[in-house]
Amino acid sequence: MTDPFDLFDDWYAEARQSEINDSNAMALATADERGRPSVRMVLLKGHGPDGFIFYTNFEGRKAGELLDNPHAALLFHWKSLRRQVRIEGPVGRVDDATADAYFATRSRDSQLGAWASDQSRPLASRDLFMARYEEAATRFEGGPVPRPPHWSGFRVKPQRIEFWQDREHRLHERHLFTRHGEDWDEGMLYP
Ligand SMILES: Cc1cc2nc3c(=O)[nH]c(=O)nc-3n(C[C@H](O)[C@H](O)[C@H](O)COP(=O)(O)O)c2cc1C
């Protein structure tokens, strides 16, 4: 039986070679408490059997939806390989040590940007945003930029992972892995 995480690692490694940029970009679908969906791109910043991690502002729209309704779907589409991977499951917050460690690897500009952005809120002018950025730069001048309390990561723990591969004559191949406890069932789907 194939391990879905090994298969993901193989496809991801190939995508890193062949995609022109952002092979770690994935669409993240969430739904509000009434079940209305929304979707946007985020970047995969860690993955393994415990889940797929991305980082964001916890006061923005996606975080609000995930805190109300902690389930998500992720989608990779690697055009250069004619492949997609769909991942679905419950969502939790990464621990502070994990978020701190990742935040510390970001460029200083991105770290300051995390302080300056009121993600998903209306912005009156670009100048206001730049002023907030400069304010953060002055505040932390001469020292490290700490992780803002409203900035952290979510981890999607997959219950379902589907690998789709383009094949000739539109006879595409779909492999579905479904989690049962710590085990996975493997099957195929009609395209
Ligand atoms: C390729 C790409 C990668 C992105 N990565 C992230 C990310 O990792 N985290 C994030 O918060 N926003 C990321 N964004 C911006 C989001 O798509 C989105 O505009 C923003 O997070 C606000 O979403 P929300 O209002 O639903 O919370 C990315 C956008 C693109 C196009």
Side-chain angles (χ1 to χ4, degrees):
M1 136 118 203
T2 313
D3 180 319
F5 296 100
D6 288 347
L7 182 55
F8 182 86
D9 285 344
D10 290 347
W11 281 26
Y12 190 34
E14 284 181 57
R16 278 203 294 271
Q17 297 300 318
S18 63
E19 286 296 299
I20 53 168
N21 57 35
D22 290 343
S23 51
N24 60 335
M26 54 190 185
L28 161 73
T30 56
D32 66 16
E33 75 285 356
R34 290 197 291 169
R36 296 188 182 184
S38 67
V39 64
R40 79 291 287 151
M41 301 302 292
V42 291
L43 296 176
L44 180 71
K45 291 294 179 181
H47 72 282
D50 283 347
F52 290 74
I53 297 174
F54 62 90
Y55 289 90
T56 194
N57 185 313
F58 269 58
E59 291 170 356
R61 180 178 175 190
K62 76 177 89 48
E65 293 187 355
L66 286 172
L67 296 171
D68 283 346
N69 178 10
H71 294 270
L74 301 171
L75 173 71
F76 293 88
H77 179 206
W78 291 310
K79 292 185 187 205
S80 59
L81 300 171
R82 299 178 186 280
R83 285 175 175 166
Q84 76 173 346
V85 179
R86 299 168 63 173
I87 296 167
E88 291 160 35
V91 176
R93 185 182 175 133
V94 305
D95 59 54
D96 286 348
T98 303
D100 286 341
Y102 171 66
F103 191 77
T105 69
R106 286 168 55 105
S107 69
R108 194 171 177 88
D109 281 356
S110 316
Q111 292 175 336
L112 293 171
W115 280 97
S117 174
D118 230 353
Q119 195 174 63
S120 315
R121 300 251 157 65
L123 171 63
S125 74
R126 190 82 196 155
D127 285 349
L128 178 62
F129 186 31
M130 294 320 292
R132 284 174 56 109
Y133 178 89
E134 291 305 331
E135 215 173 271
T138 308
R139 181 170 164 198
F140 298 114
E141 204 171 351
V145 182
R147 178 173 61 87
H150 58 262
W151 192 97
S152 186
F154 284 106
R155 186 194 300 275
V156 180
K157 184 156 187 175
Q159 295 295 331
R160 193 183 156 104
I161 308 182
E162 186 203 311
F163 296 84
W164 185 103
Q165 168 76 66
D166 178 88
R167 293 284 186 217
E168 272 184 356
H169 314 301
R170 304 212 172 230
L171 303 179
H172 310 312
E173 204 171 310
R174 298 176 67 186
H175 287 270
L176 175 64
F177 295 84
T178 317
R179 192 197 286 267
H180 294 282
E182 288 313 304
D183 299 326
W184 289 88
D185 277 350
E186 180 179 2
M188 286 197 291
L189 300 172
Y190 282 103

